[in-house]
């Protein structure tokens, strides 16, 4: 189980109010704030987090994840309208290797426009024949 707040976690400090971010939404279990370093030029890059401290999606119970994703769903149309975005990325990083900088699980909501220069698509590779089938089978097995 996670802990309620972790001393050295900046997102926990947002939850307690020790540091005051730009809050866009909160309820009993979720806090959503604007990212201080937004990706791209559109306003509205938002971070949605459970109020309780869990490091990654693996540590976070389904209940908290469901509440976070429900908040994401609520926020997406509002962010789209406000930013004028043509599309939205919802991204969630786990572990340093995946680009996680803050070890308090969170979802990014990133407003996108055609040709906005945000590249999540770089360094893609073409899998060898059968790789996808084999990987899908292995994942299915792991879920059993
Ligand atoms: P991640 O790389 O998925 O861990 O994302 C962490 C995000 O937190 C980054 O996009 C940072 O820009 C954002 N961030 C870090 N410090 C602050 C802060 N004080 N206020 C708002 N966003 C922050
Ligand atoms: Zn935390």
């Amino acid at each position: 189980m996670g802990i309620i707040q972790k001393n050295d976690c900046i997102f926990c400090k947002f939850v307690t109010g020790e540091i005051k971010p730009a809050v866009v939404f909160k309820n009993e279990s979720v806090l959503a704030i604007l990212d201080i370093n937004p990706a791209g030029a559109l306003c509205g890059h938002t971070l949605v987090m459970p109020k309780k401290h869990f490091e990654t999606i693996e540590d976070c119970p389904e209940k908290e994840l469901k509440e976070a994703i429900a908040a994401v769903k609520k926020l997406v149309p509002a962010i789209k309208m406000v930013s004028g975005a043509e599309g939205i990325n919802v991204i969630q990083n786990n572990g340093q290797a995946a680009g996680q900088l803050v070890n308090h699980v969170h979802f990014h909501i990133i407003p996108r426009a055609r040709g906005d220069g945000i590249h999540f698509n770089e360094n893609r590779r073409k899998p060898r024949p059968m790789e996808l089938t084999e990987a899908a089978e292995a994942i299915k097995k792991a879920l059993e």
Side-chain angles (χ1 to χ4, degrees):
M1 254 331 245
I3 50 175
I4 297 199
Q5 249 79 66
K6 193 165 183 274
N7 282 341
D8 60 351
C9 172
I10 189 168
F11 285 6
C12 284
K13 289 188 168 72
F14 296 158
V15 172
T16 60
E18 191 181 328
I19 303 178
K20 296 196 187 322
V23 173
V24 293
F25 174 81
K26 63 179 164 187
N27 62 21
E28 228 169 76
S29 52
V30 175
L31 176 69
I33 64 151
L34 291 183
D35 195 303
I36 204 164
N37 290 130
L42 295 179
C43 70
H45 180 161
T46 298
L47 304 172
V48 179
M49 64 197 75
K51 284 184 170 175
K52 284 191 203 163
H53 182 93
F54 305 99
E55 287 204 6
T56 68
I57 198 164
E58 291 175 82
D59 309 314
C60 190
E62 263 189 41
K63 179 178 175 289
E64 271 78 8
L65 286 173
K66 280 181 184 163
E67 283 159 353
I69 207 73
V72 169
K73 179 158 172 63
K74 205 187 285 275
L75 282 160
V76 163
I79 292 167
K80 226 175 152 185
M81 196 174 74
V82 168
S83 64
E86 297 168 280
I88 295 279
N89 286 118
V90 176
I91 294 174
Q92 200 272 312
N93 301 322
N94 298 281
Q96 265 183 18
Q100 185 175 13
L101 298 171
V102 178
N103 293 328
H104 180 132
V105 68
H106 55 280
F107 291 86
H108 292 253
I109 304 174
I110 302 175
R112 300 294 309 271
R114 269 174 236 270
D116 62 13
I118 301 173
H119 294 298
F120 300 107
N121 289 335
E122 279 170 4
N123 302 320
R124 295 289 174 100
R125 66 188 178 81
K126 202 169 182 327
R128 67 175 164 73
M130 291 308 290
E131 183 180 322
L132 298 184
T133 317
E134 286 164 13
E137 284 309 314
I139 293 165
K140 276 192 261 180
K141 238 195 184 123
L143 285 170
E144 282 169 9

